[in-house]
């Protein structure tokens, strides 16, 4: 057995091996150790290998799915080795000692899941493949649960951004690729050949050329080849649902790099997970498929005005008709996830319940179409979707006739094909029904014949049907001419058979077996019918998801009184009374009101420098405007009273290093790498938010960098930019940069306390509120008092040296001033230490004292 195990383990190629033994999947050696730890199950041992016990653990087959889910979540891949023959077959083949043949039937990995129990309904599950062909990278991605496949090409440095947008759960790359992104799974290099990719896709779709699907470059095809080869490998030859590949044009969506996505918390919050993200704050989708599409939309907002406006028109239409929207959302909520049901059916892992979901979902889709088609003033975007909602008449009719109302997930017991669909099957069922009734009648007859009222006809898996009487009544049935034959004596009961019972039982078994086989055959036919319509079904699912997303945006807009943004080609951004959807939602339960703020960036006033106290609302203002751009270009309404959004090609968000500390990133270096990316990539059509850039280093450096970055953004990149900073020295940039203006978040000191108004106002910040904020934060009074004294001294020093007015060159900065003082003290200390007091004459001692006094006086301000 170990030889067989080790051979399979070698085939498993680094995956954990689930080795089927009877009712269990067993794991051995290191696999067992890993699984026992992840699953928190007992580690035992079995036999010996090279003289040491073999570690072993196992999970029951019937509950394997939940264990698999936990292993996959822990980042493992699992190969499933099943018994591929029965013990009887094995004996027939190789004698009484023969080992049952086993084979790996499937690889279960994070990116190749289709099982409902292993997937999150509202989250897409992407598998990606990345490779490089002559200096360009191909990125292929697929949601295996629905078959949607996208191919794209980019420059090698942009792979990280593409992967951040897709957020795949598994990435495969060619082995020995030195530039592979970290954490990827290496696969054979030959799989990533562009010719091979072309072949594989043509074969999968049964077409002679891919031209009908779009134009695909060599890097795209190479990545697709690696992707499909991996799917073939994982499914052991069975491919999951593959929809025609879609080529993604890199300019077609708002470009955002990984750092921007993370800092804006678009689909995931900084703590990981959906809660606290923009997605969570806007998601009012009624279906899982809608929620998945919404996440997709927010991850890749559009850059085409007409396409955005088409989405808006549908949102607007549903926004204006609350009754229609409510009806529609109710209908959508009842929809099963047909995209995923189809995915399971095509992958050969479908159940009668999945067929039932298609029947119900497609029927509902038609109803929704009819309802929408009756409405007036339908927007064009809806007109384009309506045809996709219908057209499955023949399939839904077939499924409606064939299936019971609520088909089961298991096929083993049958019972899912409806009565009246197949006369032969009905006959078989009638036969077993009549035999069952005959057996019931037989029980009554035997009770009467034997006079044993406690006689029962029972059934179990081992004996089949049998007659049972209490032991004290057994004698009557034991008599040779009684017509009963003894089968088993139990404690207190004795079991018998009879010829008539045997005959009836055989009738049931035979009819039942035939009925099961008949149902199985119907299942296969129905699955084949459904699979034949896969592309049309996928289109229906996609259209429903699109309508759901529009209804979600409309609902969210109505809830929060959001506005439909005007989309402009020129690079401006005018937001009236804008709000931050996530912060606003967080404030509501505390009974606090969000203060709405305006933003008005135009080519001649494109850089806003925003000062004011910490906690005053600068970051919030910056981000809310970036989020509004994302929502607007995704086709949604935005949290503002009015909005005009000039299309953006790229969006950047950078947070000064110290703000990021909590996330454990190496600070200043990261900040500068990210800033460099902005300066090299932002265009006049881009929108950039910079939050306290330069904070991660000493004051002088930081101010100097912030100054230079702001200037470069203004002069060279010429993008729209909101720049929050606590360096009021930067205000002087307004004198030289004509498209830069000064703003601040307002605060007021009231009875010694600081009141943050969270309100944006024109002009530079009047002063620094650091000490008031420290006080607000609970820094002890003596420390605050001391800080005030130090501040007064520092400010005096600044005033005397000419301070700010003298220009940037001799800005006396807090830390710098303190540093000079510290250096002087050090020098003094060194001198004191160097004096050998005992060796001094009284006269020398007095001289030294005068000298020291002079030195101190010289350095006094
Ligand atoms: P800063 O960047 O100026 O340090 P933040 O933007 O981080 O300040 O805001 C600090 C806190 O103030 C937020 O967590 C939020 O609770 C509150 N806040 C910010 N902006 C507003 C606003 N416009 N209305 C109400 N509360 C706000």
């Amino acid at each position: 057995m170990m030889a067989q195990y080790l051979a399979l383990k070698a085939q498993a190629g680094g995956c954990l091996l689930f080795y089927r033994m009877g009712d269990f999947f067993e794991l051995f050696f290191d696999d067992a150790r890993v699984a026992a730890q992840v699953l928190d199950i007992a580690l035992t041992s079995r036999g010996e290998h090279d003289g040491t016990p073999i570690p072993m653990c196992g999970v029951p087959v019937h509950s394997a799915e939940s264990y698999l889910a936990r292993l996959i979540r822990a980042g493992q891949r699992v190969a499933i080795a099943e018994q591929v023959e029965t013990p009887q077959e094995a004996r027939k083949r190789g004698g009484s000692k023969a080992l049952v043949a086993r084979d790996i039937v499937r690889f279960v990995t994070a990116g190749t899941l289709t099982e409902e129990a292993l997937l999150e309904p509202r989250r897409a599950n992407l598998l990606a493949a990345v490779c490089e062909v002559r200096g360009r990278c191909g990125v292929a991605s697929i949601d295996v649960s629905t078959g949607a496949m996208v191919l794209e090409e980019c420059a090698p440095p942009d792979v990280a951004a593409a992967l951040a947008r897709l957020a795949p759960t598994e990435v495969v790359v060619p082995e020995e690729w030195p530039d592979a992104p970290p954490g990827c799974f290496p696969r054979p290099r030959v799989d990533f050949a562009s010719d091979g990719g072309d072949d594989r896709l043509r074969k999968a779709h049964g077409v002679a050329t891919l031209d009908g699907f779009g134009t695909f470059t060599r890097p795209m095809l190479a990545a697709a080849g690696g992707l499909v080869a991996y799917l073939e490998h994982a499914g052991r030859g069975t491919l999951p649902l593959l929809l025609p590949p879609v080529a993604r044009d890199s300019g077609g969506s708002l470009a955002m790099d990984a750092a921007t996505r993370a800092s804006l918390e678009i689909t995931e919050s900084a703590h990981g997970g959906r809660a606290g993200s923009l997605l969570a704050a806007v998601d009012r989708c009624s279906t899982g498929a809608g929620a998945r599409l919404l996440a997709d939309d927010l991850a890749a907002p559009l850059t085409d005005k007409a396409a955005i406006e088409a989405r808006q028109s549908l949102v607007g239409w549903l926004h204006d008709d609350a009754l229609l929207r409510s009806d529609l959302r109710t209908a959508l909520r009842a929809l099963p996830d047909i995209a995923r049901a189809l995915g399971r059916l095509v992958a050969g892992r479908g159940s009668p319940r999945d067929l039932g979901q298609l029947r119900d979902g497609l029927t509902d889709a038609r109803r929704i179409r009819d309802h929408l088609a009756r409405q007036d003033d339908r927007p064009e975007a809806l007109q384009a979707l309506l045809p996709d909602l219908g057209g499955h008449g023949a399939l839904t009719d077939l499924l409606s006739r064939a299936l019971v109302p609520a088909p089961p997930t298991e096929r083993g017991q049958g019972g899912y094909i409806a009565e009246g669909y197949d006369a032969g099957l009905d006959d078989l069922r009638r036969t077993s029904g009549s035999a069952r009734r005959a057996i019931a009648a037989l029980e009554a007859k035997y009770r009467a014949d034997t006079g044993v009222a406690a006689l029962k006809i029972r059934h179990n898996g081992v004996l089949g049907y049998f007659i049972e009487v209490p032991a004290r009544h057994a004698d009557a049935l034991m008599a040779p001419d009684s017509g009963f034959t003894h089968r088993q004596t139990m404690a207190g009961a004795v079991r018998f058979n009879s010829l008539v019972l045997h005959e009836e039982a055989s009738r049931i078994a035979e009819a039942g077996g035939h009925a099961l086989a008949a149902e199985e055959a119907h299942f296969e036919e129905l699955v084949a019918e459904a699979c034949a319509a896969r592309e049309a079904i996928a289109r229906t699912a996609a259209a429903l998801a699109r309508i759901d997303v529009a209804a979600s945006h409309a609902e969210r807009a109505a809830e929060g009184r959001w506005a439909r943004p005007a989309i402009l080609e020129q690079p401006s951004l005018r937001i009236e009374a804008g709000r931050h959807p996530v912060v606003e939602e967080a404030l509501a339960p505390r009974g606090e009101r969000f203060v709405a703020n305006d933003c008005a960036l135009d080519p001649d006033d494109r850089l806003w420098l925003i000062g004011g106290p910490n906690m005053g609302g600068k970051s919030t203002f910056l981000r809310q405007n970036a989020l509004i751009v994302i929502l607007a270009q995704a086709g949604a309404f935005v949290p503002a009273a009015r909005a005009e959004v000039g299309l953006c090609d790229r969006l950047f968000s950078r947070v000064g290093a110290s703000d990021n500390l909590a996330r454990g990133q190496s600070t200043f270096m990261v900040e500068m790498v990210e800033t460099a990316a902005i300066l090299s990539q932002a265009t006049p059509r881009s929108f950039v938010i910079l939050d306290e850039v330069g904070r991660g280093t000493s004051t002088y450096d930081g101010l100097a960098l912030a100054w230079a970055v702001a200037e470069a953004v203004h002069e060279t990149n010429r993008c729209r930019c909101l720049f929050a900073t606590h360096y009021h020295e930067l205000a002087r940039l307004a004198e030289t940069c004509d498209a830069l203006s000064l703003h601040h978040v307002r605060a007021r000191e009231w009875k010694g306390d600081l009141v943050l108004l969270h309100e944006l106002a024109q002009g530079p910040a009047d002063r620094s509120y650091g000490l008031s904020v420290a006080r607000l934060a609970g820094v002890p009074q003596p420390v605050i008092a001391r800080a005030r004294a130090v501040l007064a001294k520092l400010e005096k020093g600044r005033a005397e040296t000419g301070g700010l007015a003298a220009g940037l060159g001799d800005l006396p900065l807090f830390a710098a001033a303190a540093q000079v003082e510290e250096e002087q003290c050090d020098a003094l200390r060194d001198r004191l230490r160097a004096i050998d007091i005992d060796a001094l004459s009284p006269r020398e001692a007095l001289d030294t004292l005068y000298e020291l006094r002079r030195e101190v006086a010289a350095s006094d301000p």
Side-chain angles (χ1 to χ4, degrees):
M1 188 207 103
M2 265 305 139
Q4 188 193 48
Y5 171 83
L6 291 171
L8 289 169
K9 177 68 193 164
Q11 281 178 40
C15 301
L16 298 180
L17 183 66
F18 266 35
Y19 183 83
R20 176 78 180 256
M21 294 177 78
D23 291 335
F24 279 82
F25 285 118
E26 304 287 5
L27 297 103
F28 300 102
F29 300 104
D30 280 346
D31 286 8
R33 290 199 192 93
V34 171
Q37 217 216 336
V38 173
L39 301 174
D40 195 19
I41 55 176
L43 185 65
T44 58
S45 67
R46 179 193 165 105
E48 287 195 342
H49 185 70
D50 295 339
T52 48
I54 301 170
M56 175 179 99
C57 68
V59 301
V61 170
H62 67 87
S63 55
E65 224 171 59
S66 68
Y67 289 106
L68 274 174
R70 280 157 65 192
L71 286 169
I72 302 294
R73 244 178 271 132
Q76 299 290 336
R77 297 180 174 80
V78 180
I80 309 275
E82 279 285 3
Q83 295 170 209
V84 292
E85 62 182 359
T86 62
Q88 291 83 349
E89 283 166 342
R91 274 196 293 278
K92 215 179 285 170
R93 184 170 51 77
S96 62
K97 289 243 171 80
L99 193 63
V100 176
R102 291 179 175 83
D103 205 355
I104 295 178
V105 296
R106 183 182 165 203
F107 289 88
V108 185
T109 73
T112 59
L113 300 174
T114 54
E115 285 83 350
E116 216 173 342
L118 305 184
L119 292 167
E120 287 175 45
R122 299 178 87 81
R123 196 176 162 163
N125 187 53
L126 294 192
L127 168 71
V130 188
C131 64
E132 191 178 326
V133 180
R134 292 203 208 100
R136 296 287 293 171
C137 283
V139 180
S141 60
I142 183 168
D143 186 336
V144 173
S145 70
T146 63
M149 182 191 261
V150 178
L151 308 181
E152 49 194 294
E153 184 189 313
C154 62
D158 296 333
V159 168
L163 290 178
R165 165 168 42 77
L166 296 167
T169 50
E170 190 176 7
V171 183
V172 295
V173 292
E175 62 198 351
E176 285 158 23
W177 178 27
D179 301 325
C184 299
F185 191 45
R187 298 287 309 156
R189 217 153 232 295
V190 291
D191 291 352
F192 293 82
S194 55
D195 301 347
D198 193 68
D199 283 349
R200 284 197 162 91
L201 286 179
R202 282 191 288 111
K203 213 165 111 220
H205 295 288
V207 293
T209 159
L210 298 177
D211 292 349
F213 300 147
T215 311
F216 305 101
T217 62
R218 286 170 62 90
M220 289 181 186
L221 291 171
L227 188 79
V228 178
Y230 182 61
L231 290 172
E232 277 167 7
H233 158 80
R236 301 293 275 170
T238 314
L239 273 180
L241 172 56
L242 297 183
L243 294 172
V246 176
R248 185 176 183 280
D249 159 24
S250 58
S253 69
L254 177 63
M256 294 182 270
D257 55 25
T260 298
R261 286 172 197 281
S263 113
L264 292 176
E265 303 176 293
I266 300 171
T267 52
E268 234 182 42
S269 79
H271 313 291
R274 212 168 187 266
S277 67
L278 172 67
L279 175 60
V282 303
D283 182 5
R284 298 292 183 270
C285 286
S286 308
T287 68
R292 299 196 294 267
L293 181 62
L294 174 60
D296 229 43
D297 283 1
L298 294 182
L302 305 174
T303 48
D304 179 61
K305 185 170 183 303
I308 295 169
E309 285 172 346
R311 285 189 189 171
Q312 285 184 338
S313 67
L314 187 50
V315 178
W317 187 64
L318 292 169
H319 176 260
D320 296 345
D321 190 338
L323 191 64
L324 172 66
R325 185 171 74 244
S326 149
D327 286 349
L328 176 63
R329 293 180 75 234
T330 307
L332 289 168
R333 264 196 294 278
L335 270 182
D337 199 330
I338 53 178
R340 285 193 166 171
L342 178 70
R344 286 189 292 275
L345 289 165
V346 175
R349 294 174 211 146
S351 71
R353 180 163 171 269
D354 293 322
L355 287 174
Q357 293 196 341
L358 287 190
R359 170 199 60 197
D360 300 344
L362 296 175
T363 310
D364 288 352
R366 211 164 40 217
R367 261 191 227 124
I368 290 172
R369 179 198 62 183
D370 294 345
H371 185 63
L372 292 176
R374 280 196 297 274
Q375 309 301 317
D376 299 330
D377 306 326
R378 293 184 301 278
E380 235 170 79
L382 181 66
Q383 287 302 92
L385 293 171
L386 286 183
D388 284 344
L389 296 184
H392 302 287
L395 181 62
T396 47
D397 282 354
L398 174 67
L399 293 174
S400 304
R401 277 187 298 114
L403 295 169
V404 298
T409 38
E410 290 299 323
R411 303 211 294 277
Q413 305 294 319
Y416 49 86
I417 297 294
E419 221 175 290
Y421 178 65
D422 170 1
L425 175 61
D426 291 346
D427 268 349
L428 290 168
R429 284 180 177 158
R430 258 195 299 281
T431 306
S432 70
S434 78
R436 255 175 257 257
R437 277 191 300 280
I439 287 175
L442 210 54
E443 187 180 69
K445 177 175 178 298
Y446 286 157
R447 279 184 194 165
D449 289 357
T450 58
V452 181
L455 179 146
K456 283 196 180 87
I457 293 183
R458 302 183 55 196
H459 180 271
N460 72 24
V462 182
L463 296 183
Y465 284 94
F466 54 85
I467 301 147
E468 187 175 278
V469 294
R472 64 199 141 83
H473 296 302
D475 286 352
L477 285 78
M478 287 287 197
D481 58 349
S482 67
F484 298 103
T485 47
H486 174 260
R487 294 195 69 185
Q488 203 178 22
T489 300
M490 316 284 294
V494 183
R495 292 168 172 178
F496 298 90
N497 200 357
S498 78
L499 200 60
V500 186
L501 178 61
H502 177 74
E503 275 168 8
E504 296 296 351
S506 304
R507 275 211 305 152
I508 294 178
E510 197 179 333
H514 287 151
L516 265 188
E519 290 203 57
E520 193 67 25
H522 288 310
F523 178 76
E524 301 292 333
E525 289 155 23
L526 296 171
V527 171
E529 288 292 327
C531 290
R534 60 179 83 183
E535 281 171 30
I537 297 174
R539 272 200 302 277
T540 302
L544 287 167
R546 181 49 68 207
I547 291 172
D548 189 19
V549 168
S552 164
H553 287 319
E555 180 72 16
R556 187 67 189 84
E559 231 176 72
R561 319 212 324 165
W562 291 12
R564 173 178 178 159
I567 305 294
L568 312 178
E569 293 284 0
Q570 69 267 30
S572 57
L573 182 65
R574 289 187 216 105
I575 313 292
E576 275 174 33
R579 289 165 284 150
H580 189 302
V582 180
V583 174
E584 184 174 32
E585 232 174 39
L587 292 180
R590 291 189 258 149
E592 288 171 48
R593 279 215 26 203
F594 190 90
V595 181
N597 280 304
D598 298 350
C599 171
L601 297 174
D602 276 304
D604 56 2
D605 181 15
R606 57 180 181 269
L607 202 175
W608 278 22
L609 210 57
I610 301 165
N614 255 324
M615 292 298 286
K618 299 186 293 297
S619 304
T620 306
F621 177 71
L622 262 50
R623 282 152 208 258
Q624 84 191 25
N625 289 299
L627 296 182
I628 284 172
V629 167
I630 292 175
L631 286 170
Q633 294 194 199
F637 280 27
V638 299
R642 249 173 54 85
E644 287 177 18
V645 176
L647 284 171
C648 298
D649 60 348
R650 289 171 173 271
L651 177 65
F652 291 96
S653 167
R654 285 304 177 276
V655 181
S658 52
D659 268 13
N660 247 356
L661 264 178
R663 285 182 218 154
Q665 300 182 347
S666 109
T667 54
F668 186 61
M669 183 65 185
V670 172
E671 180 188 328
M672 285 301 115
V673 167
E674 294 176 358
T675 306
I678 297 181
L679 297 177
S680 67
Q681 294 171 27
T683 76
R685 295 176 66 84
S686 303
F687 178 44
V688 174
I689 62 174
L690 290 167
D691 195 355
E692 299 283 12
V693 160
R695 194 150 74 166
T697 181
S698 78
T699 310
Y700 261 136
D701 281 6
L703 172 55
L705 276 168
W707 184 288
V709 168
E711 263 176 0
V713 163
H714 181 270
E715 297 298 316
T716 311
N717 300 102
R718 307 180 74 81
C719 52
R720 283 159 286 178
C721 176
L722 297 175
F723 194 124
T725 181
H726 68 286
Y727 295 125
H728 5 294
E729 292 82 353
L730 287 188
R732 302 209 48 207
L733 277 167
E735 293 167 15
T736 50
C737 301
D738 58 356
L740 177 149
S741 61
L742 303 175
H743 304 261
H744 64 278
V745 283
R746 291 184 56 210
R748 235 197 334 241
E749 214 125 13
W750 192 71
K751 291 192 186 160
D753 274 334
L754 183 70
V755 183
L756 300 170
L757 301 173
H758 302 306
E759 201 182 287
L760 204 76
Q762 295 273 352
D766 51 352
R767 63 187 188 83
S768 171
Y769 290 89
L771 295 184
S772 311
V773 172
R775 196 182 131 133
L776 203 64
V779 172
Q781 190 50 43
V783 177
I784 301 283
R786 174 74 185 134
R788 271 198 211 293
V790 173
L791 181 64
K793 196 161 174 218
L794 290 171
E795 280 179 344
K796 185 164 158 260
R798 168 151 69 176
E800 281 169 10
T801 53
L804 278 179
L808 185 67
D810 54 339
L811 282 178
L813 294 162
F814 298 173
Q819 198 180 339
V820 170
E821 205 161 292
E822 190 60 28
E823 279 163 10
Q824 286 163 350
C825 289
D826 283 347
L828 211 54
R829 252 180 251 140
D830 289 344
R831 289 228 25 205
L832 279 171
R833 272 194 216 102
I835 299 170
D836 184 354
I837 296 173
D838 295 333
L840 294 181
S841 69
R843 175 70 211 215
E844 282 167 337
L846 202 59
D847 285 349
T848 312
L849 203 52
Y850 275 118
E851 212 173 293
L852 287 170
R853 173 72 168 275
R854 250 195 319 278
E855 240 163 71
V856 173
S859 66
D860 270 349

